Every structure is written in structure tokens, then in C-alpha cells.
Amino acid sequence: MNIRFSLGTLIAGLGFASLTPHLQSDESDPAAFTAGGAVVDITPAPGISLNGSISKPGRAAGVHDPLMVRAAVIESGGERVAVAIVDACFLGFPVFETAARLVAEATGIPASHQLVAATHTHAAPRGLSIGRLSELDDIWHAELPQHNADAIVR
């Protein structure tokens, strides 16, 4: 089993556990539980700024493994929650805020029922516009909220 996926699954499970008070069980149909998931590739072009090891940031020279957004939407008793795990060092609130708005518009899932977290890998860009080295950074940062939303909406 891929270790990264296992860690992402664990993080998603923990995130879902923290949201479960929002779910209301439908006592007339206790078996009513649905879930769906999707993965969106967010691998940037070589040359984008990476967080790098401590005090050694730089540009990506190539791609070793693709970067992904992995998402799940879970529904029970008429309530839905969405969880997305992003391969990025960290995410700024504007990324979440924009993605949450797009998801709410497309699905009706309110921001209060969405959890988006980063894997905190230093082998990926930051999900925040700091440390810009080129226009590739601007492009990736501008597209990231839509990619997060796409993974949840699918």
C-alpha cells in the first residue's frame, strides 16, 4: 500500500471524525450512508518554487511523484461533509475560502461542512503566494482553489 495514501486516508478520517457532530442520523433509515471520492492531479510544471528542506527553498527541477488533491464527500441523514487532502506544504486561508465558495455554489455543501488540509510535504509548493520565483508560481496558486473544488465536486 502506498504510504502517502495511507497517511492521507488517516488524516481524512481524523478530519471527518471532527466533523461528525454536524451529521444528523436519519433514524427512519439507519442504513442511509453514502460516500464518494475523487482525485485531481495538481502537479505543477518544473520551475515552480518548492518549500524545500529547512532554509533551502528553490525551484523544482522535475517531477518525482505527481501531486494530488484527494477528496471525499460523505452524506448521512441529509447532511453532507467534504474532506480534501492537498499535496502541498501548507495552504493559505484564501485557497480554502475560494474553494469552499466554489464547492458551496456547485453542491450546496456549506463551508462549515468542508475540511481542507495539506500533507505538509516539503517536496511541493506552498499553497500560499509567498516566496515567488516565477510566473509559474502565480499560475499554480491561481488554479489551486479550483482544483480543490473540482476534487470535492466530482
Side-chain angles (χ1 to χ4, degrees), residues 8-104:
T9 303
L10 174 64
I11 292 168
L14 292 173
F16 175 71
S18 71
L19 293 173
T20 53
H22 294 289
L23 295 177
Q24 300 172 356
S25 63
D26 181 353
E27 293 181 16
S28 65
D29 187 5
F33 180 90
T34 57
V39 177
V40 171
D41 189 323
I42 60 168
T43 307
I48 193 166
S49 303
L50 295 181
N51 221 33
S53 58
I54 296 174
S55 299
K56 296 185 181 188
R59 292 181 186 226
V63 175
H64 185 276
D65 294 311
L67 303 178
M68 303 291 181
V69 176
R70 293 171 180 84
V73 174
I74 301 146
E75 181 174 10
S76 178
E79 295 280 343
R80 288 183 292 169
V81 295
V83 178
I85 305 299
V86 184
D87 287 334
C89 187
F90 53 84
L91 298 172
F93 188 71
V95 172
F96 169 76
E97 194 172 44
T98 302
R101 180 182 48 77
L102 294 170
V103 169

Side-chain angles (χ1 to χ4, degrees), residues 70-151:
R70 293 171 180 84
V73 174
I74 301 146
E75 181 174 10
S76 178
E79 295 280 343
R80 288 183 292 169
V81 295
V83 178
I85 305 299
V86 184
D87 287 334
C89 187
F90 53 84
L91 298 172
F93 188 71
V95 172
F96 169 76
E97 194 172 44
T98 302
R101 180 182 48 77
L102 294 170
V103 169
E105 289 170 359
T107 67
I109 301 172
S112 63
H113 287 60
Q114 298 178 44
L115 171 72
V116 178
T119 58
H120 194 82
T121 176
H122 282 249
R126 300 173 184 105
L128 186 63
S129 296
I130 61 171
R132 178 189 184 280
L133 292 178
S134 75
E135 63 279 349
L136 292 173
D137 297 337
D138 299 334
I139 294 167
W140 194 78
H141 291 127
E143 294 174 347
L144 189 56
Q146 184 65 57
H147 291 314
N148 289 341
D150 288 346

